[in-house]
Amino acid sequence: MSKGLLVVFSGPSGAGKGTVLGRLLAERQDVRLSVSATTRAPRPGEQDGREYFFLTREEFLARIEQGKMLEYAEYCGNFYGTPADPIERWTAEGDDVILEIEVQGGAQVKKKRPDCVSIFIVPPSLEEQEKRLRGRGTEDEETIRKRVAAARGEISHAPSYDYIVVNDTVEHAVDQINQILAAEKLRFSRCGEIIEGVLNNHAETVC
Amino acid sequence: MSKGLLVVFSGPSGAGKGTVLGRLLAERQDVRLSVSATTRAPRPGEQDGREYFFLTREEFLARIEQGKMLEYAEYCGNFYGTPADPIERWTAEGDDVILEIEVQGGAQVKKKRPDCVSIFIVPPSLEEQEKRLRGRGTEDEETIRKRVAAARGEISHAPSYDYIVVNDTVEHAVDQINQILAAEKLRFSRCGEIIEGVLNNHAETVC
């Protein structure tokens, strides 16, 4: 069995990341979503290991110290970060792990795991994104204007990502992500052992 | 419309390159096979621009001089090479162009066109390859032994290719090539202009 991929997945708010990931996870039993760690207290209904791994400040700092956080940031007095161990375990089991993360965190992950695959998802246009934000009905006019401006800034980070997926329809975006994951598994850098197999007459089809 | 890909396609004899390409070309109207140029005389039934572009020695040397050969070699007193112009024209029209080529030629192409996508196709095992060569019934025992030994040498070049495709079944190999071509078109390096489109509110779906 070949190792799963670590996928850094980013995009501006209103790009439809949640919907696309929801569909992808529903379709694929071998794709998992990374779970973040945090020092903030669990809210009612939140389960350790599901919404977050809940850690004490001491535990969190120790993980940083041990190099066991792929990335982290402090926000409003609490730490948030991506623990490396579950990702290591899940990819070793052959599952692809998606890390939905903003661009600064994504850049930290890429430094520690240059073998990751990075995908940046964009709305077909900023106009469309504005429409989607408005469609949610949860934000006021001022907030929407700020978000569209922020999206412009976020999109400027797209060049540091490997792949661009335009979320014109959820189906199309999910198809494209599936194609990216499938192709990446055929990269020589990920399946060089296949060549050994061919030379040694082990009929291998892990790739 | 996005530009087509230049695909360097190599693999040892007996890997089934011909069968896989035949199926791929039959399925895809937007994939073309590159046509080589040669200075050897046309054989009965061969058409200029179909089997080869037939050039005089002077014409061939002039193209080399002008940098219009992506790669070339002299063999038995005749030149053989890959003319750049048709590839340029076809990829500009949006077609993917496959260049079936041995590893030395492939290395020359990669130097001139680092944007090319390179795929190395292998049989599931050398045992299987030997069986395929034998199955053709066109080679004697001695030739088959030499070919299997040569394949071992050719396969050692696989690490310089981007992707490895194991030809366990033709359908599977063609599927994998299709996934590679689809994913490569989503690379930021190939569709960066999409980001411009999003920022400028041109709803683009070329990627």
Side-chain angles (χ1 to χ4, degrees):
Chain A
M1 185 185 55
S2 65
K3 225 185 149 193
L5 305 166
L6 169 57
V7 182
V8 168
F9 190 75
S10 307
S13 74
K17 291 192 292 292
T19 316
V20 168
L21 285 185
R23 182 74 65 97
L24 179 71
L25 292 165
E27 280 181 13
R28 300 270 310 262
Q29 295 304 305
D30 58 340
V31 174
R32 307 185 63 153
L33 206 57
S34 167
V35 177
S36 296
T38 183
T39 59
R40 82 151 166 75
R43 290 177 190 149
E46 286 184 342
Q47 262 178 35
D48 185 52
R50 193 179 65 186
E51 282 78 13
Y52 284 98
F53 292 107
F54 294 99
L55 302 178
T56 65
R57 202 171 172 86
E58 292 64 41
E59 287 169 333
F60 202 105
L61 291 171
R63 305 262 175 119
I64 295 173
E65 196 72 15
Q66 296 156 3
K68 288 188 165 179
M69 284 289 169
L70 283 185
E71 57 82 34
Y72 65 93
E74 204 174 353
Y75 179 72
C76 296
N78 287 309
F79 279 107
Y80 293 82
T82 303
D85 284 352
I87 291 175
E88 196 45 58
R89 198 165 59 242
W90 296 337
T91 55
E93 288 168 2
D95 288 348
D96 297 330
V97 180
I98 313 263
L99 186 48
E100 190 197 335
I101 195 167
E102 30 60 70
V103 292
Q104 284 78 11
Q108 284 186 58
V109 174
K110 281 178 156 208
K111 267 194 197 158
K112 292 220 174 131
R113 285 284 306 265
D115 62 316
C116 74
V117 176
S118 59
I119 302 176
F120 197 85
I121 187 163
V122 290
S125 69
L126 284 182
E127 230 160 41
E128 179 60 28
Q129 186 236 19
E130 202 173 330
K131 212 157 63 183
R132 286 180 193 173
L133 287 174
R134 223 179 286 281
R136 289 186 193 168
T138 53
E139 269 104 6
D140 61 28
E141 208 41 42
E142 170 67 7
T143 313
I144 289 173
R145 260 197 301 275
K146 274 190 190 161
R147 290 209 156 200
V148 172
R152 217 170 250 285
E154 288 164 40
I155 290 176
S156 71
H157 293 274
S160 60
Y161 282 71
D162 298 325
Y163 296 97
I164 304 293
V165 167
V166 178
N167 187 13
D168 43 6
T169 69
V170 178
E171 293 71 21
H172 191 213
V174 169
D175 279 352
Q176 294 194 323
I177 294 169
N178 277 324
Q179 285 167 331
I180 291 168
L181 302 187
E184 279 289 333
K185 285 182 188 163
L186 302 174
R187 290 211 152 254
F188 179 80
S189 54
R190 294 187 207 285
C191 66
E193 79 283 358
I194 201 97
I195 294 299
E196 294 304 315
V198 173
L199 292 173
N200 298 319
N201 284 333
H202 306 133
E204 279 271 10
T205 52
V206 297
C207 267
Chain B
M1 188 185 52
S2 65
K3 226 185 147 191
L5 305 166
L6 170 56
V7 182
V8 168
F9 189 75
S10 306
S13 74
K17 291 191 292 291
T19 315
V20 168
L21 285 184
R23 181 75 63 95
L24 180 72
L25 292 164
E27 281 179 13
R28 299 272 309 261
Q29 296 303 304
D30 57 341
V31 174
R32 307 186 62 151
L33 206 55
S34 167
V35 176
S36 297
T38 183
T39 59
R40 82 154 165 74
R43 290 176 189 154
E46 287 185 341
Q47 264 180 35
D48 186 52
R50 193 179 63 185
E51 282 79 11
Y52 285 98
F53 292 108
F54 294 100
L55 301 179
T56 65
R57 201 170 173 87
E58 291 65 40
E59 287 169 334
F60 202 107
L61 291 171
R63 304 261 174 119
I64 295 173
E65 197 71 18
Q66 296 154 6
K68 290 190 164 177
M69 284 291 169
L70 282 187
E71 58 82 35
Y72 65 93
E74 205 172 352
Y75 180 71
C76 296
N78 287 308
F79 280 107
Y80 294 83
T82 303
D85 285 353
I87 290 174
E88 196 44 58
R89 196 163 61 241
W90 296 337
T91 54
E93 287 168 3
D95 287 348
D96 297 329
V97 181
I98 313 263
L99 187 49
E100 189 197 336
I101 197 167
E102 29 62 69
V103 291
Q104 285 78 11
Q108 284 186 56
V109 174
K110 282 179 154 208
K111 267 194 197 157
K112 292 217 175 133
R113 287 283 305 267
D115 61 316
C116 74
V117 177
S118 59
I119 301 176
F120 197 84
I121 186 163
V122 290
S125 69
L126 284 182
E127 230 161 41
E128 179 61 30
Q129 185 233 23
E130 203 173 328
K131 212 156 68 185
R132 285 180 192 171
L133 287 173
R134 224 179 286 281
R136 288 185 192 170
T138 53
E139 268 106 5
D140 60 29
E141 209 41 41
E142 170 68 9
T143 313
I144 289 171
R145 261 196 301 275
K146 276 191 191 160
R147 289 209 156 200
V148 173
R152 217 169 251 284
E154 288 164 42
I155 290 174
S156 71
H157 292 273
S160 58
Y161 283 71
D162 298 326
Y163 295 97
I164 304 293
V165 168
V166 178
N167 186 13
D168 43 5
T169 70
V170 178
E171 293 71 23
H172 190 213
V174 169
D175 279 352
Q176 294 194 321
I177 294 169
N178 277 323
Q179 285 167 330
I180 291 168
L181 302 186
E184 279 289 334
K185 285 182 188 164
L186 303 174
R187 289 209 154 256
F188 179 81
S189 54
R190 296 188 206 284
C191 65
E193 78 282 358
I194 202 97
I195 293 300
E196 293 305 314
V198 173
L199 292 172
N200 299 319
N201 285 333
H202 306 132
E204 279 272 7
T205 52
V206 298
C207 266

